[in-house]
Amino acid sequence: GRLILAMFISYRLKLQARLNNMKLDYRERVVTPYAREYFEDGDFLKKGSLTERELISTKMFSDTADYKYTSNNELRGIHKSIKFVNADVYEDNNPLEYHVKGRFIAFNITTPNINPVVLTTSTAPILDFQDDRVHLIKPKNDVIGRMFRVSAFDEKEANELLTDNMVYKLRQIIGLQLGKIVKIGFHNDKIYVFFTTEESTYAENFTKKNSVITELRKIREKFNVVGK
């Protein structure tokens, strides 16, 4: 009986290893080359993505010691002449048992503000900053005020950024219905977007049941989010 159990465990371990390799192969053999083909300077990295310091520097995430951030599945490239990076981001706060999985996108688009301006929807948690210069403000634009909580260094600068034209663009982003929690930031000559996801972005099993064409179509649909 013990021999049969040992053989079964050995079989299960080998099967799991094989399944894990399928996921690995899917990203390496399908996602990465497609990213390089589809985007100018395109590339895809399973690991070695955005660092915790880079994420916190956007002022999109709480920066107290209780919060920890990791990222992977990074896609980068140039789309419609705009340089971008996006990655799966995991936000954890163990004392509060608070865990969020999401997708973070950074676009290299210059905006008129020098200091950070961050918008969060009502479903997003209140940001907790050590830097007390970042504070909630009441925007002059009533539509913005109804759509988002606004955090900024400089209230005047934030109001100059949040024009009716910006409202139109923000409505487009919200209209994509990318996820439940939405954060949008303007800082460092970049526009940042963060939204929650139920699972990792590129986690499909690449098996005989799924044709390469089907898998590529899935990737293309996900890549197209970048250009909307």
Side-chain angles (χ1 to χ4, degrees), residues 101-149:
K101 181 187 293 183
R103 192 73 179 164
F104 176 83
I105 310 178
F107 301 95
N108 283 34
I109 299 175
T110 301
T111 55
N113 59 303
I114 297 172
N115 297 300
V117 176
V118 179
L119 315 179
T120 57
T121 56
S122 60
T123 52
I126 298 291
L127 295 172
D128 186 7
F129 295 120
Q130 293 185 60
D131 188 345
D132 57 12
R133 292 177 299 168
V134 184
H135 59 280
L136 285 171
I137 67 166
K138 184 178 180 180
K140 286 184 177 179
N141 192 305
D142 292 336
V143 177
I144 292 285
R146 290 194 296 269
M147 291 172 66
F148 299 100
R149 294 189 297 257

Side-chain angles (χ1 to χ4, degrees), residues 111-204:
T111 55
N113 59 303
I114 297 172
N115 297 300
V117 176
V118 179
L119 315 179
T120 57
T121 56
S122 60
T123 52
I126 298 291
L127 295 172
D128 186 7
F129 295 120
Q130 293 185 60
D131 188 345
D132 57 12
R133 292 177 299 168
V134 184
H135 59 280
L136 285 171
I137 67 166
K138 184 178 180 180
K140 286 184 177 179
N141 192 305
D142 292 336
V143 177
I144 292 285
R146 290 194 296 269
M147 291 172 66
F148 299 100
R149 294 189 297 257
V150 181
S151 300
F153 279 12
D154 187 316
E155 189 166 340
K156 181 176 181 293
E157 190 177 52
N159 283 321
E160 289 174 351
L161 171 70
L162 301 175
T163 61
D164 289 340
N165 184 48
M166 183 60 72
V167 170
Y168 172 73
K169 293 177 181 178
L170 294 173
R171 284 188 185 280
Q172 287 184 307
I173 293 175
I174 296 296
L176 293 176
Q177 297 181 334
L178 300 171
K180 293 180 181 177
I181 296 176
V182 177
K183 305 179 187 181
I184 303 170
F186 307 87
H187 191 210
N188 301 325
D189 286 331
K190 290 183 175 67
I191 296 177
Y192 304 105
V193 179
F194 177 79
F195 55 91
T196 56
T197 54
E198 296 297 325
E199 59 183 16
S200 299
T201 309
Y202 305 99
E204 288 86 352

